[in-house]
Amino acid sequence: MAEVHVIGQIVGASGFPQHSLFCKWGVHTGGAWKLLSGLREGQTQVDNPQNEEMASWSHPIDIHFATKGLQGWPKLHLQVWHQDSFGRCELYGYGFCHVPSSPGLHELQCVTWRPVGTWQDQLSQLFIGGGPQLKTNDLIYSGADRYRLHTSAMGIVHLQLGVILRHFDRYGVEC
């Protein structure tokens, strides 16, 4: 089987309205993909930069897949959360990006968004915190019903991913 090895890191995030951020991440693939090693999902630590614009996570990603075809190429889906001084967590953004299909080192910027509710939801969010969230995470990376959502743009998650392709020519898989 052809193999894809992704080695890299979630560098950090910038452009969010508050500091004290962390990121939950996961990798989604099609049915023809088999995870050989590594974790399919994870979470970074909370970073609260005092004088800097960017939250730094430097969270490692090391995933190894085997596949028989290109359909269902891996996608990285992200959730950025804010932790307030009371330890409460509030969703700050969803985002996804495709893992690059060419070998080499890639620097990616994943833009994020979050759902905007009714004016009552927005008023409640202003005073109490929280806010609307997706019922299922599938909407992050599948465009099925995402066009019907009302959203607002949030910050950017910075990634560095190294991609290694192996045996693609031997098994007739063409990129």
Side-chain angles (χ1 to χ4, degrees):
M1 292 175 74
E3 299 178 23
V4 177
H5 202 145
V6 181
I7 305 169
Q9 66 176 330
I10 302 173
V11 177
S14 62
F16 287 91
Q18 298 282 332
H19 293 299
S20 192
L21 303 172
F22 66 96
C23 180
K24 294 180 181 182
W25 62 273
V27 177
H28 176 76
T29 59
W33 292 74
K34 179 182 176 186
L35 181 66
L36 298 178
S37 66
L39 298 174
R40 204 176 268 277
E41 60 185 21
Q43 179 177 318
T44 69
Q45 80 282 358
V46 176
D47 185 39
N48 190 6
Q50 299 301 316
N51 299 327
E52 297 178 19
E53 175 79 18
M54 184 167 164
S56 297
W57 296 316
S58 299
H59 183 81
I61 294 178
D62 188 356
I63 310 167
H64 191 181
F65 290 105
T67 184
K68 293 183 180 180
L70 295 178
Q71 189 172 4
W73 191 267
K75 299 177 212 173
L76 197 61
H77 55 90
L78 308 164
Q79 296 179 21
V80 178
W81 292 77
H82 165 69
Q83 187 178 47
D84 68 10
S85 58
F86 299 109
R88 297 176 299 189
C89 297
E90 176 182 2
L91 175 72
Y92 260 22
Y94 294 107
F96 85 95
C97 58
H98 291 274
V99 171
S101 59
S102 60
L105 184 62
H106 305 274
E107 301 221 2
L108 305 173
Q109 294 185 349
C110 181
V111 295
T112 61
W113 52 271
R114 76 174 175 187
V116 176
T118 63
W119 67 270
Q120 293 100 337
D121 294 334
Q122 294 175 22
L123 189 62
S124 173
Q125 183 177 359
L126 181 66
F127 289 108
I128 300 172
Q133 296 179 18
L134 298 177
K135 288 183 180 180
T136 63
N137 289 337
D138 297 351
L139 284 177
I140 300 171
Y141 49 82
S142 70
D145 289 327
R146 196 173 56 222
Y147 70 92
R148 295 174 27 195
L149 295 174
H150 296 282
T151 63
S152 64
M154 295 304 283
I156 297 172
V157 176
H158 305 273
L159 303 117
Q160 290 177 340
L161 299 177
V163 178
I164 301 169
L165 305 179
R166 184 172 179 224
H167 300 311
F168 271 63
D169 53 348
R170 182 187 299 175
Y171 291 101
V173 180
E174 296 181 13
C175 285

